[in-house]
Amino acid sequence: MSRQPSSTMANFFPRWTNWIPLKVIVCVIVIACGLTGATWYYATPKYTKIGYQPVQPVPFPHDIHVTQLGMDCRYCHSFVEVAAQSNVPNTATCMNCHTQVAKDNPKLQPVQESWKSGEPVEWVWLYRTVDYVYYNHSAHVNRGISCFTCHGPVNHMSVVHIAQPHSMAWCLDCHRHPENYLRPDDQVFNLDWKPDDVKPAEFVAKYGQPSDTREDFSKKKQLTQSEIGQTLKDRWKITPPTNCQGCHR
């Protein structure tokens, strides 16, 4: 009698392989969600906070005080040249002017109450460096890094907002290429300064020029930001750290 072939064949693959397509689909979904979430969190203003503009207890229009009245940044932020952390103005600083100027303005009521009670005005801080990052204001402003570089055109803001991301990549870009940001030390607090304002002959007489440059900068009509920055970088021997220990001490 002839033998009938079996109606079933042995499985070539193990049974657990049946789950592979489902596992692949789940992994793809998880990775896609992770990438979407990371992009949404890290590459948008929600993370960088650019444009963040809190309501302050007292409206302080920087454009009026700085641009119209000509007040220097250091009048209110008086520690910026000597301390690691800058400061917001205390009530006494405000009242130096406002005991006489606009003293009946109702918007100044929190300042007046602070003056009477001795309790500080509860300003809302925009820039607070996290505890695991070391940043020294004085080291930057005393070596040609302007307030404008980190805080934007504050002198033209009626309400201050965050203008730069202050992310690690953003900081490292400056540390790797400081020549793109350095300016003469007497222009650090001039937020409207631009490279075209520099007079080449006067600049070279004061700061010199890079030793490896063959062209005479003093004979040029204008200097670029790169030429100004490279000169100052060499003059002041600026070598910002780019390793982890530079900021995470």
Side-chain angles (χ1 to χ4, degrees):
M1 241 176 120
S2 62
R3 202 171 201 184
Q4 296 293 330
S6 174
S7 59
T8 59
M9 298 180 62
N11 289 332
F12 185 77
F13 295 102
R15 180 172 296 178
W16 61 267
T17 58
N18 295 335
W19 293 94
I20 289 180
L22 180 60
K23 291 180 179 179
V24 170
I25 292 173
V26 171
C27 287
V28 169
I29 293 174
V30 170
I31 292 173
C33 291
L35 291 174
T36 301
T39 301
W40 172 78
Y41 187 74
Y42 289 104
T44 63
K46 184 175 179 62
Y47 175 73
T48 61
K49 293 187 177 179
I50 291 178
Y52 172 57
Q53 191 180 70
V55 176
Q56 298 287 359
V58 181
F60 185 89
H62 278 74
D63 55 350
I64 292 178
H65 288 77
V66 180
T67 301
Q68 293 186 28
L69 300 179
M71 291 178 64
D72 190 286
C73 306
R74 292 163 289 186
Y75 183 78
C76 294
H77 306 288
S78 53
F79 297 164
V80 71
E81 291 182 292
V82 296
Q85 185 175 359
S86 183
N87 61 299
V88 296
N90 57 30
T91 302
T93 300
C94 301
M95 293 301 287
N96 284 339
C97 294
H98 287 296
T99 52
Q100 300 296 325
V101 179
K103 60 181 180 179
D104 296 324
N105 190 328
K107 293 180 180 179
L108 291 172
Q109 184 178 353
V111 176
Q112 294 164 347
E113 291 177 352
S114 172
W115 181 246
K116 294 175 182 177
S117 67
E119 295 295 323
V121 176
E122 295 295 331
W123 299 107
V124 180
W125 285 72
L126 273 77
Y127 298 95
R128 295 299 292 265
T129 305
V130 291
D131 291 341
Y132 55 82
V133 172
Y134 173 78
Y135 180 84
N136 189 309
H137 270 85
S138 62
H140 288 75
V141 299
N142 287 311
R143 275 298 174 261
I145 296 298
S146 172
C147 314
F148 177 88
T149 302
C150 298
H151 302 298
V154 178
N155 56 321
H156 297 298
M157 296 180 186
S158 57
V159 180
V160 175
H161 63 269
I162 292 181
Q164 299 291 357
H166 289 206
S167 64
M168 184 169 68
W170 179 81
C171 293
L172 280 172
D173 179 64
C174 184
H175 275 222
R176 288 167 177 159
H177 306 287
E179 63 276 6
N180 294 336
Y181 304 95
L182 294 172
R183 61 174 66 186
D185 49 0
D186 59 355
Q187 298 298 324
V188 166
F189 299 99
N190 176 8
L191 304 192
D192 288 326
W193 178 88
K194 53 187 181 298
D196 292 347
D197 296 337
V198 170
K199 297 179 180 179
E202 295 179 5
F203 178 81
V204 172
K206 183 175 182 179
Y207 299 104
Q209 64 181 60
S211 57
D212 59 352
T213 303
R214 296 180 181 179
E215 187 177 10
D216 187 350
F217 283 2
S218 65
K219 301 293 178 59
K220 300 187 70 170
K221 292 183 178 180
Q222 290 182 337
L223 295 179
T224 66
Q225 171 61 54
S226 180
E227 290 167 339
I228 294 169
Q230 190 61 53
T231 298
L232 298 175
K233 179 182 177 182
D234 291 359
R235 171 83 175 188
W236 294 329
K237 296 180 174 56
I238 293 177
T239 55
T242 57
N243 56 12
C244 301
Q245 290 79 7
C247 298
H248 304 292
R249 303 182 178 184

